[in-house]
Amino acid sequence: MHTYNLIESILFPPISFNEGKLRKTLQGKSILITGASSGIGEHLAIFLSKLEIELQLILVARRGEKLEVLKQSLESKSITIHIIRADLRVQEDMDHLLEFLHKLPAGLDIVVNNAGLSINRSILQSMDRFHDFTRTMAINYFAPVKLLLSVIPLLQNNNGQIINISTINALIVPIPNWAAYQASKTAFDTWLQSAAPELNKIGITTTSIYLPLVKTPMILPTEAYKKMPAMTTLHVAKIICRSIYTKQRRYKPWWLIFGELFSVLFKKIIDSLFYKKA
């Protein structure tokens, strides 16, 4: 497990956390976690499995073999774990997942929308790669919309919660080379923010968690990220778990407010840097 250096300790201070409240809130509940075979989803499942309460975890990911290994390492007398191998971009896989969810005897209580795809590629390198945009929109936007439209009645019956794992990029000025990723993540963030008041009226809580760089397999292809400050997946798991019993609408790093203000107040300066000719 990665240990924070001094800069990371300042950027990502410890999370105040009440495990007793979490246990009480989750007793007997059912939680769906997408993108559960590695990274944030995997470590959230590990964290929840240690609570020693009656809890049902539904873990979804494309890599079925990794889900099998995870299930074998987590299953206990109190925790029930269901694994579903599914690529949520594939209609048949999505239909299979939804069929399973609608057959749950006690319904569904929490959806953690964590599955996602990140692409770091310039527009000039993307002119013959339209599929980069369709595949990021497919998993980052269309898949969670389709999933939630189907399970809203289940969540309504249980006064449930939707937790979306978003990115700080959705709240600040867009930056070059991330057009596909930023557009798709911002699209779903906007969808959820628009739907949230309606969902709240029928008893469904929504939580948006805006994360900075996180040490997951997703960032490995980008060489520059290896030396940049990044959150650990355990830290993120605690943030998610705290949001379950606090029902907070948003989480974002304490320092992001400065990035948001900078994006608004100094947009002309940012534009002059980004639009500078070679």
Side-chain angles (χ1 to χ4, degrees), residues 209-250:
I209 297 178
Y210 299 97
L211 296 176
L213 198 62
V214 180
K215 290 189 180 297
T216 69
M218 187 182 290
I219 71 171
L220 294 179
T222 306
E223 186 67 27
Y225 284 168
K226 292 181 179 179
K227 296 181 179 180
M228 291 182 65
M231 264 190 184
T232 65
T233 50
L234 176 59
H235 196 135
V236 178
K238 289 183 178 181
I239 291 170
I240 296 170
C241 287
R242 185 177 66 174
S243 77
I244 290 173
Y245 66 82
T246 63
K247 308 298 183 188
Q248 68 185 100
R249 287 188 55 232
R250 289 189 176 192

Side-chain angles (χ1 to χ4, degrees), residues 172-191:
I172 58 176
V173 64
I175 58 176
N177 299 329
W178 294 95
Y181 176 70
Q182 291 179 140
S184 60
K185 294 295 282 188
T186 303
F188 183 71
D189 182 69
T190 301
W191 183 91

Side-chain angles (χ1 to χ4, degrees), residues 5-261:
N5 58 35
L6 179 60
I7 294 176
E8 289 172 328
S9 297
I10 295 171
L11 293 176
F12 318 126
I15 297 295
S16 58
F17 185 76
N18 190 317
E19 194 166 300
K21 287 185 179 180
L22 180 64
R23 285 197 185 98
K24 184 177 180 180
T25 302
L26 287 181
Q27 177 66 34
K29 303 294 187 180
S30 295
I31 304 177
L32 169 66
I33 305 172
T34 65
S37 63
S38 65
I40 294 170
E42 177 187 14
H43 284 86
L44 175 60
I46 292 170
F47 193 87
L48 292 172
S49 70
K50 297 177 180 179
L51 295 177
E52 298 181 354
I53 58 174
E54 289 187 13
L55 180 65
Q56 189 168 207
L57 297 180
I58 302 136
L59 308 180
V60 179
R62 292 182 296 115
R63 294 172 291 185
E65 67 285 354
K66 289 202 169 187
L67 288 177
E68 286 284 358
V69 172
L70 181 60
K71 178 180 179 179
Q72 291 174 12
S73 68
L74 299 186
E75 204 153 30
S76 65
K77 293 181 180 179
S78 58
I79 302 291
T80 300
I81 298 177
H82 304 280
I83 59 171
I84 300 178
R85 193 221 67 79
D87 183 338
L88 299 181
R89 297 169 294 186
V90 177
Q91 185 67 45
E92 184 179 352
D93 288 2
M94 176 66 84
D95 290 343
H96 173 65
L97 170 61
L98 294 177
E99 182 181 5
F100 174 85
L101 295 175
H102 282 275
K103 289 182 178 179
L104 290 171
L108 185 64
D109 296 284
I110 300 172
V111 174
V112 180
N113 177 49
N114 172 65
L117 176 66
S118 175
I119 294 179
N120 176 11
R121 184 170 289 122
S122 76
I123 288 297
L124 297 182
Q125 295 174 324
S126 304
M127 290 185 290
D128 60 347
R129 296 181 61 90
F130 180 65
H131 62 280
D132 282 350
F133 300 89
T134 57
R135 62 193 178 119
T136 49
M137 287 297 287
I139 190 63
N140 294 347
Y141 178 62
F142 292 119
V145 169
K146 183 175 181 60
L147 171 64
L148 292 175
L149 288 176
S150 180
V151 302
I152 282 172
L154 303 181
L155 296 171
Q156 181 181 7
N157 289 339
N158 291 352
N159 292 318
Q161 183 177 14
I162 298 165
I163 301 174
N164 181 42
I165 308 306
S166 190
T167 171
I168 62 172
N169 298 74
L171 299 178
I172 58 176
V173 64
I175 58 176
N177 299 329
W178 294 95
Y181 176 70
Q182 291 179 140
S184 60
K185 294 295 282 188
T186 303
F188 183 71
D189 182 69
T190 301
W191 183 91
L192 187 60
Q193 297 307 317
S194 178
E198 298 179 64
L199 295 172
N200 186 254
K201 285 182 180 179
I202 61 173
I204 300 173
T205 304
T206 62
T207 299
S208 297
I209 297 178
Y210 299 97
L211 296 176
L213 198 62
V214 180
K215 290 189 180 297
T216 69
M218 187 182 290
I219 71 171
L220 294 179
T222 306
E223 186 67 27
Y225 284 168
K226 292 181 179 179
K227 296 181 179 180
M228 291 182 65
M231 264 190 184
T232 65
T233 50
L234 176 59
H235 196 135
V236 178
K238 289 183 178 181
I239 291 170
I240 296 170
C241 287
R242 185 177 66 174
S243 77
I244 290 173
Y245 66 82
T246 63
K247 308 298 183 188
Q248 68 185 100
R249 287 188 55 232
R250 289 189 176 192
Y251 166 85
K252 52 187 178 182
W254 64 267
W255 42 264
L256 186 59
I257 184 63
F258 301 108
E260 292 177 282
L261 288 172

